[in-house]
Amino acid sequence: MSGARLKEIAYSRVLTFMIFYLVIVIYQTLLSELLRLGPARLDLGLLLLIYVTLNLGSRPGIVFGFGLGLLLDVADPIWLGLGSLIMGTLGYGVGYFKESLFVESIYSKMLLVFLTVISHDILRYLFMHKFELSAIGSVLLGTTIFSALYTTAVAAIVMLMTKPKQYQPQPV
Amino acid sequence: MLPVLGPFSKNKTNWYILVCWSISITLLALSEPKKDLVTGLIRQVLYSPFQQAGEKVRGLYQVHLENQKLRQQIAGMTVENGILEEQRLENHRLRQLLELRSILDFEVIPAEVVTRDPIFRLHSVHINAGSQSGVLRDLPVIDRRGLVGKVTEAFDKTSTVQLLFDPGFKLSCLVQRSRVTGIVSWKTGQLLKLDYVPSNADLQEGDEIVTSGLSSIYPAGLKIGRVIKVGQDRESLFKTVEVSPYADIYNLEELFVIKTYPE
């Protein structure tokens, strides 16, 4: 097997998805409770979904979101399919956001993360409570806002740490 | 492409989301046993190894915490045990002293050593009984084994006791068995010497040395020590006698000042 072929496999989307799924499984089983800050939880799955969609496009985002949703549905078997539905939809939404709007700046990406976490929780709540809106305010203020802020903050830190250095022309 | 979907069908991405929704809704529509079957399979294959590993790590961490807690408890109990052992020994000593006090016809003042002479460590000690307790200068001091020394200074609440190991300490004594008299003083280290014992005196190792009663300070018969070595120089008129004191001068704790004694 040639080096170019190995490189191709390494960069293939399937392998990337597998690695990300493994990271999610490890995070869910071992780390999620450790990284919880009071009511705020870090939504690593959504962060990876946004990363995949922004870097690979809408279709990989939908596929990745679908698989991710299925993986997370294991925790709540009664709602098997709901996670894949919402995550797939969010992958589609983030892809649409990327294609329609300018999301290159860190601030717009932070806004995207924040809105995605809020949207995920609202959609999940609406489906699980048959679109009953009476208690959605308490859910939003109880945990969702904090989780969205926490996840956005982590995303901002990661983006700042991995931000490529901008070229600055030397003065003549 | 389905013509009924119109422009929607032209975008390939829309088909992706359509398939995603279809499968998801089908999964949602599954009966509970079937959902359990699917999720159980995923859980067993993907989650179980990590959950088991997590439980093991958590278990180890719990053991580590418990170990730390137990170590702390052991440290505390060791200290407590040391204190209790010290109290047990003190209790034992005090019981012996009480027994001694009940046997003696003397009127004695109990006292504890509070400080030692920091420079000449074994020459004198301070006790926590003074003139307010009836302690006076030149009263003899004993412990539960034998003579220790005498009071040289009495303050209100404390007194200074000159020990047998003070180079200036001299005391008239006699060998209990043969009634041979001599003068006891410090020799070196933890030993006393018995001077002025004639070369023809009846003296042997193991003989007990007691106060002679010839002094105005010490009553007769107070135990001082035991003869451990008897020597004889050819040209000397006296024997050289080494005496090991009964009192543990290095480790004095509870003492008695003899206030009065029968003549």
Side-chain angles (χ1 to χ4, degrees), chain B:
Chain B
M1 300 287 170
L2 292 167
V4 72
L5 292 170
F8 184 84
S9 62
K10 288 177 184 168
N11 189 346
K12 210 175 171 182
T13 309
N14 294 341
W15 284 101
Y16 271 75
I17 193 67
L18 208 62
V19 171
C20 167
W21 285 344
S22 306
I23 299 172
S24 298
I25 290 165
T26 310
L27 286 171
L28 272 169
L30 283 175
S31 62
E32 275 191 29
K34 283 180 182 171
K35 281 181 182 173
D36 284 339
L37 191 74
V38 175
T39 52
L41 202 69
I42 298 172
R43 202 181 297 140
Q44 204 166 3
V45 173
L46 283 173
Y47 282 90
S48 286
F50 296 104
Q51 275 172 342
Q52 283 172 2
E55 276 165 21
K56 276 184 184 169
V57 169
R58 272 192 287 271
L60 282 173
Y61 184 65
Q62 286 296 327
V63 169
H64 171 71
L65 288 179
E66 203 171 329
N67 190 25
Q68 268 187 334
K69 199 175 165 186
L70 287 172
R71 278 171 189 272
Q72 282 174 350
Q73 277 181 356
I74 287 171
M77 285 166 84
T78 306
V79 172
E80 199 178 314
N81 197 30
I83 293 168
L84 287 172
E85 177 65 15
E86 189 60 29
Q87 284 174 349
R88 188 185 70 80
L89 292 170
E90 188 182 19
N91 187 20
H92 180 69
R93 284 197 306 271
L94 291 172
R95 277 176 188 278
Q96 284 184 328
L97 286 172
L98 278 172
E99 282 166 19
L100 180 71
R101 195 176 170 181
S102 62
I103 293 165
L104 289 172
D105 290 333
F106 308 150
E107 188 184 341
V108 292
I109 303 161
E112 282 183 11
V113 175
V114 285
T115 56
R116 292 170 193 277
D117 185 336
I119 301 166
F120 304 105
R121 184 172 170 267
L122 299 170
H123 294 176
S124 62
V125 291
H126 295 97
I127 55 173
N128 64 353
S131 54
Q132 285 180 358
S133 312
V135 177
L136 298 170
R137 183 186 161 91
D138 284 341
L139 289 183
V141 180
I142 58 169
D143 76 350
R144 61 192 165 86
R145 298 184 190 90
L147 186 71
V148 167
K150 67 174 181 181
V151 175
T152 51
E153 281 178 289
F155 305 101
D156 286 348
K157 291 180 178 173
T158 60
S159 306
T160 307
V161 177
Q162 184 189 30
L163 301 174
L164 289 175
F165 286 175
D166 189 306
F169 190 95
K170 293 189 191 306
L171 167 66
S172 169
C173 63
L174 55 84
V175 179
Q176 199 170 40
R177 180 181 59 82
S178 59
R179 317 310 287 174
V180 173
T181 58
I183 302 290
V184 155
S185 61
W186 179 62
K187 184 174 188 257
T188 178
Q190 296 183 60
L191 291 176
L192 302 171
K193 60 181 178 179
L194 186 60
D195 292 326
Y196 309 117
V197 177
S199 56
N200 60 350
D202 178 11
L203 195 68
Q204 61 192 44
E205 288 176 16
D207 278 344
E208 200 161 74
I209 308 296
V210 296
T211 51
S212 64
L214 298 174
S215 150
S216 59
I217 297 174
Y218 305 98
L222 284 180
K223 289 181 178 182
I224 298 170
R226 191 174 291 276
V227 174
I228 57 165
K229 192 176 176 185
V230 181
Q232 174 71 61
D233 286 340
R234 280 186 183 178
E235 294 174 358
S236 176
L237 296 170
F238 303 105
K239 287 180 185 292
T240 54
V241 183
E242 285 182 10
V243 175
S244 175
Y246 286 128
D248 188 359
I249 306 289
Y250 278 102
N251 299 299
L252 294 173
E253 284 179 275
E254 290 92 10
L255 302 178
F256 286 114
V257 180
I258 300 175
K259 195 175 176 185
T260 56
Y261 51 86
E263 292 295 332

Side-chain angles (χ1 to χ4, degrees), chain A residues 14-169:
Chain A
V14 175
L15 193 66
T16 309
F17 287 8
M18 289 299 168
I19 290 167
F20 282 176
Y21 288 150
L22 194 66
V23 169
I24 290 296
V25 169
I26 293 169
Y27 173 74
Q28 287 293 117
T29 47
L30 301 176
L31 302 170
S32 61
E33 285 304 312
L34 289 175
L35 294 175
R36 182 183 273 270
L37 294 178
R41 57 182 166 68
L42 173 65
D43 214 326
L44 188 68
L46 283 179
L47 278 183
L48 290 177
L49 173 65
I50 294 165
Y51 175 82
V52 167
T53 312
L54 290 182
N55 286 284
L56 302 177
S58 293
R59 284 174 226 158
I62 293 166
V63 175
F64 181 76
F66 176 78
L68 181 66
L70 266 186
L71 210 60
L72 298 177
D73 280 341
V74 172
D76 200 358
I78 297 169
W79 295 101
L80 179 69
L82 182 60
S84 55
L85 182 76
I86 294 171
M87 289 287 194
T89 308
L90 287 174
Y92 180 76
V94 172
Y96 179 79
F97 199 80
K98 185 203 170 195
E99 285 158 17
S100 310
L101 302 164
F102 181 75
V103 285
E104 292 305 314
S105 76
I106 283 182
Y107 296 112
S108 56
K109 283 177 184 169
M110 281 168 65
L111 181 68
L112 183 65
V113 172
F114 185 78
L115 290 176
T116 309
V117 177
I118 298 274
S119 307
H120 173 266
D121 281 17
I122 289 174
L123 282 172
R124 194 166 179 88
Y125 174 83
L126 289 175
F127 273 105
M128 288 173 86
H129 294 87
K130 297 173 183 171
F131 292 90
E132 172 65 48
L133 295 166
S134 57
I136 198 159
S138 60
V139 173
L140 266 175
L141 294 172
T143 56
T144 303
I145 292 282
F146 299 112
S147 299
L149 287 171
Y150 182 25
T151 309
T152 308
V154 171
I157 292 166
V158 173
M159 281 187 280
L160 285 171
M161 284 170 70
T162 56
K163 186 183 170 187
K165 284 183 181 175
Q166 286 182 336
Y167 173 72
Q168 287 183 335

